[in-house]
Amino acid sequence: MHNTYLKIKIRMKLLPILLFSTQFFFAQNVAQKLDGAVKALMNSAPAYSANLSVYVADESGNFVYEYKGNQGLSTASTQKIFTAAAALETLGKNYRYTTTVSYSGTLSSGNLSGNLIVTSNGDPTLGSWRYDGYKPENFKQKLIDAIKQKGISKISGDVVVDDSYFDFQTIPGGWPWNDSGNYYGAGVWGVNWRENQFDLNMNGREMKSSNVELPNVKWINEVKTAGSSDQSLIFTAPFSDVAYINGTLPGKAITVSGSMPNPPLTLANEIKNWLKESGVELNGKITTTSLQKINGEAVSAASKGNTLLEYQSPTLDKIIYWFMRKSVNLYGETLIKTLAREKKNSGSFDDGISYLKEFWKGKGINSAMINFADGSGLSPQNYVSARAEVQALLWSRKQPWFNEFFDGFPTQGNGMKMKSGTMKDTKSFAGYHTSKDGKKYVFAIILNNFQSSNLSDALYKVLNMLK
């Protein structure tokens, strides 16, 4: 009996040691596989001058593997994890933006002796096509209904879009010029419209039509017909009346998308057309508070109490879903400016980026590893390490909004659910994965200056070791 008791006692003592040894061996085995795949990647010809940062932990944050895990590299869009998580925590997943339609002057017998004024706190979804019930026609209907309910049949003043909620700088410093005119490089205004994107219907080099009118804009078209895919670039600048398109397009019907040079004025122009369609007479012009500043005019203001419509955005969790799933840069930069307004009482990129750095430093990330330049990752001046991304993912995993955050992560070509980032010769992935053995990993990998046409497959060979 005594011998049996001793044997049981010894087995019980050995059990945790055996379990630990098994876990250690398993982690060691995965680390060896990762190391072999990383060495193969870095010894390949396209990696001759490349930089790589890799960090892998388990779900509890225990270290599994790293390769230059602290090295800061250009992340591209995996940087969105920092912006998304900070916004969810700071603003709350039920946060909504509000766009307000009001008027100045007096209203008598259907005649508005004053201006119709539209203002917003930067709603990036206003007129977006992504959300049921929030499309351009939905906003149009509510606006016209509100005007008709007030009995307005004539507006003696102007349509003014008040885009002054954020500061005057619409594009973050460091964004490449050949990105900012394309749809993914749209800037941020106090009033955004249709995600600040327009679509050009082209047939070869011929510009056939546009889905929306860009007021006062004149085009320089130097597109050539060649190839079988869209290799064109659109160049627009904030508040500019000149747009330029070059590169090549196939000799067939194709749609190319650019960023509006003045989204608030584009909205004002659409409202002017809506009023005409609805039989509401407009005697004045269309303008924005930014244009009033540019022209040295007095800035229009709405009278308090003269509100016609308050139009709310979808909740932040829905915005974050599309921000992550489709990598909408506009959303990231709007969130940066929103954080600046909410936490720093300003609407600048600099203050928003400063808050983002402070936020993550407060969560234990070394500030040297999070050298942010924007909120979306489009700027090549961003320098972030793989370890910092993993730390952010591990912290986010413990938060009550994690399911909404994780829901936005796309499934990539190798079957793993993770955020991706892409720029010229740059690729990154960051996310969460459960292996076929049930082990849960949190990981990030960033590759810069890799001279290959297929960077994704190169990184999949490393990440597939976690399967």
Side-chain angles (χ1 to χ4, degrees):
M1 183 72 180
H2 184 67
N3 284 345
T4 305
Y5 174 73
L6 275 175
K7 284 177 185 173
I8 291 168
K9 199 170 182 183
I10 289 163
R11 281 177 190 157
M12 287 177 73
K13 282 183 177 177
L14 284 171
L15 195 60
I17 296 167
L18 285 166
L19 282 170
F20 176 78
S21 299
T22 306
Q23 287 170 347
F24 178 75
F25 173 76
F26 190 87
Q28 196 177 36
N29 190 33
V30 169
Q32 286 172 349
K33 287 181 178 178
L34 285 165
D35 196 50
V38 164
K39 282 176 179 169
L41 172 66
M42 295 309 287
N43 287 330
S44 66
Y48 185 80
S49 292
N51 286 310
L52 180 71
S53 182
V54 185
Y55 199 91
V56 182
D58 68 15
E59 62 178 330
S60 302
N62 298 311
F63 170 79
V64 172
Y65 175 79
E66 74 170 317
Y67 177 88
K68 297 185 179 179
N70 293 350
Q71 185 174 31
L73 296 175
S74 290
T75 58
S77 284
T78 53
Q79 182 158 317
K80 289 179 169 70
I81 62 177
F82 295 101
T83 306
L88 283 165
E89 179 67 12
T90 304
L91 304 171
K93 69 179 184 180
N94 293 317
Y95 179 89
R96 290 178 188 264
Y97 290 90
T98 303
T99 299
T100 304
V101 181
S102 57
Y103 63 90
S104 63
T106 58
L107 179 58
S108 176
S109 303
N111 180 29
L112 171 58
S113 298
N115 299 328
L116 185 71
I117 301 174
V118 180
T119 188
S120 179
N121 60 345
D123 180 5
T125 72
L126 185 66
S128 170
W129 60 93
R130 298 183 200 274
Y131 310 84
D132 288 337
Y134 295 89
K135 299 183 190 328
E137 57 268 27
N138 300 121
F139 179 68
K140 171 187 176 180
Q141 193 61 54
K142 291 192 175 180
L143 172 60
I144 295 301
D145 286 350
I147 288 170
K148 290 288 179 73
Q149 281 170 15
K150 202 70 177 178
I152 298 172
S153 57
K154 180 180 177 183
I155 300 170
S156 298
D158 302 332
V159 171
V160 183
V161 176
D162 179 355
D163 57 347
S164 62
Y165 185 74
F166 298 137
D167 72 356
F168 198 78
Q169 183 184 345
T170 64
I171 293 175
W175 274 22
W177 169 231
N178 61 345
D179 282 337
S180 59
N182 292 285
Y183 71 94
Y184 57 85
V188 177
W189 274 258
V191 177
N192 301 296
W193 176 242
R194 294 179 179 265
E195 296 194 4
N196 301 348
Q197 173 181 324
F198 65 91
D199 302 322
L200 280 180
N201 299 311
M202 306 287 293
N203 195 334
R205 69 173 308 277
E206 185 185 357
M207 295 173 65
K208 302 291 286 185
S209 62
S210 174
N211 71 319
V212 63
E213 183 185 346
L214 304 178
N216 308 323
V217 170
K218 295 177 178 65
W219 279 91
I220 303 295
N221 179 2
E222 293 188 346
V223 167
K224 292 181 172 61
T225 303
S228 59
S229 65
D230 177 4
Q231 298 298 321
S232 66
L233 280 176
I234 294 173
F235 297 86
T236 62
F239 306 107
S240 173
D241 291 343
V242 179
Y244 172 49
I245 183 169
N246 69 6
T248 63
L249 285 170
K252 62 179 182 180
I254 195 169
T255 300
V256 296
S257 300
S259 60
M260 294 179 184
N262 196 337
L265 189 64
T266 302
L267 171 59
N269 190 60
E270 288 208 55
I271 291 172
K272 178 186 78 173
N273 294 334
W274 298 343
L275 293 171
K276 186 177 180 181
E277 284 172 24
S278 305
V280 178
E281 185 183 340
L282 174 67
N283 289 343
K285 63 182 183 303
I286 59 168
T287 189
T288 72
T289 52
S290 288
L291 285 178
Q292 288 174 337
K293 284 180 189 174
I294 290 169
N295 295 328
E297 300 167 359
V299 174
S300 302
S303 305
K304 287 183 179 174
N306 290 345
T307 299
L308 295 171
L309 173 67
E310 284 194 345
Y311 184 88
Q312 290 199 313
S313 74
T315 52
L316 183 63
D317 55 349
K318 306 293 192 304
I319 297 171
I320 294 295
Y321 173 85
W322 287 112
F323 174 47
M324 299 291 281
R325 184 59 63 97
K326 291 296 183 183
S327 221
V328 186
N329 295 326
L330 169 69
Y331 289 6
E333 305 315 329
T334 306
L335 289 170
I336 287 296
K337 288 205 163 203
T338 302
L339 292 171
R341 278 298 305 245
E342 295 283 341
K343 306 305 289 188
K344 301 274 189 177
N345 199 30
S346 87
S348 74
F349 289 117
D350 285 350
D351 282 339
I353 293 300
S354 174
Y355 174 77
L356 193 65
K357 289 178 182 175
E358 290 165 15
F359 179 91
W360 288 110
K361 187 180 176 184
K363 305 299 178 235
I365 297 180
N366 188 311
S367 57
M369 297 195 300
I370 45 170
N371 192 10
F372 303 136
D374 65 19
S376 65
L378 186 58
S379 172
Q381 295 178 9
N382 292 295
Y383 294 101
V384 174
S385 73
R387 185 182 179 191
E389 292 195 334
V390 169
Q391 286 177 290
L393 291 171
L394 284 165
W395 179 82
S396 299
R397 197 174 176 278
K398 298 172 186 170
Q399 306 314 311
W401 40 258
F402 174 71
N403 286 341
E404 288 83 359
F405 174 70
F406 182 62
D407 195 34
F409 282 62
T411 300
Q412 301 296 339
N414 68 339
M416 295 173 74
K417 197 170 163 73
M418 52 192 177
K419 185 75 193 82
S420 68
T422 308
M423 285 195 299
K424 182 175 167 53
D425 301 328
T426 290
K427 192 75 188 182
S428 61
F429 291 108
Y432 309 85
H433 184 71
T434 302
S435 73
K436 61 180 181 288
D437 298 311
K439 303 293 178 186
K440 294 185 177 180
Y441 297 105
V442 184
F443 62 88
I445 185 167
I446 308 165
L447 180 63
N448 284 186
N449 200 31
F450 188 76
Q451 308 293 311
S452 168
S453 60
N454 199 334
L455 284 78
S456 294
D457 283 350
L459 294 190
Y460 291 159
K461 286 175 183 174
V462 176
L463 296 175
N464 288 347
M465 297 301 114
L466 297 176
K467 287 184 170 182

